[in-house]
Amino acid sequence: MIAFFLVSLLAAVSISAQAPPTAWPQFRGSPPLHGTTDATLPPSLKLLWTYEAGDAIESSAAIVDGVVYVGSQNGDLHAVNLADGSVKWKYKASPDGIGESSPAVAGGLVFIGDLSGVVHAVDVATGKAVWTFKTDGEVKSSPAVSGDKVLIGSYDSNLYALIARTGTLAWKVKTEGYVHSTPSVVDGVAYITGCDEILRAIRVTDGRQLFSLSSGAYTGASPAIANGRAYYGTYENEVLAVDLKTHKIVWRYRHPQRNFPFYSSAALSGGRVFVGGRDKLMHALDAVTGKEAWSFPTGARIDSSPAIASGRVYVGSNDGKLYVFDAASGKVMQQFEAGGPLSASPAIAGGRLIIGSQDGKLFALGG
């Protein structure tokens, strides 16, 4: 049984930088946090169903085996059938609520953190807790599964590695500030940005810190890793590209007029970096040079992290709209009016896009 569990975990995380067509198993879709998928969506999205979660949804959904998993501010972890939005089960995590922590699914378990500082492992079939682990601060980081370990940050300033099957502590790494970032995992190394302004590389097997680099700014976004570089935004109104071999910042992007923080985590596709800003703009940057390819103004800040499928960029805005852009040109292809602010990020699988709103609605869009 243990061997089967570990094989299942390894199979779940042995995916490419893109999420597979039928699943979106974690925040940003895959361990390198690219926010991209091999799935396809119809040219024009229509509303297929709406699910009422009962409170605000800032958590971004995971989708595995035809089930959508998402947390809400009332402390529930919801399992909803992708086909029709019917409830499979609800699990009460914490009366303090689930914030931005987004589920990760592997090996028959769904992992999530809550605002009381507890990490939960829940059986996907029954909705019952398999184990819990208490940290000493809020958990807004999303879990990432690597091998037999679950990696997750806490506002107690630690990055934790927990044994996925049991919840036993494997190791923890102390930082100098809140760990809001979701770890990006590439080749056995976890990369986290920090509220202590530090980008860290940590070996997954034993928690050894391989290097650290000052970003020069408080960072709430998670790093996306591709071609030996990390890409992420900061509270000093910049997007950075960091060379992971030389440990140097390759470029910095700052909008020439609008100076606002970047809280959205970047998506990477087609040689570009796509990221939303609190300047209300959706930005597309050249990944090599950091030069702007295009930008588009929405009606409010963009904390939602974009998802990319078939040459289109999907992102929510706090103006209550889901925007669909042509990735190459920045042309708006569609807008969906959700009615409430969309700070959660889209998840795409099985020909459907799932996103939650701050007024407690979970939407499924497709053909």
Side-chain angles (χ1 to χ4, degrees), residues 8 11-31 35-41 60-69 82 103-107 307-309 346-354:
S8 298
V13 297
S14 297
I15 58 177
S16 71
Q18 294 200 117
T22 58
W24 187 276
Q26 67 159 86
F27 181 62
R28 312 304 293 130
S30 64
T36 61
T37 177
D38 287 327
T40 57
L41 290 173
S60 301
I63 308 169
V64 174
D65 293 333
V67 180
V68 178
Y69 302 90
L82 179 63
V105 184
I308 301 175
I348 300 171
R352 299 190 173 189
L353 181 148
I354 305 295

Side-chain angles (χ1 to χ4, degrees), residues 323-362:
Y323 288 83
V324 183
F325 298 98
D326 177 78
S329 66
K331 179 182 177 181
V332 177
M333 309 303 293
Q334 187 178 355
Q335 297 179 34
F336 169 75
E337 181 63 65
L342 298 174
S343 58
S345 306
I348 300 171
R352 299 190 173 189
L353 181 148
I354 305 295
I355 191 168
S357 71
Q358 289 186 21
D359 63 359
K361 294 180 172 64
L362 186 69

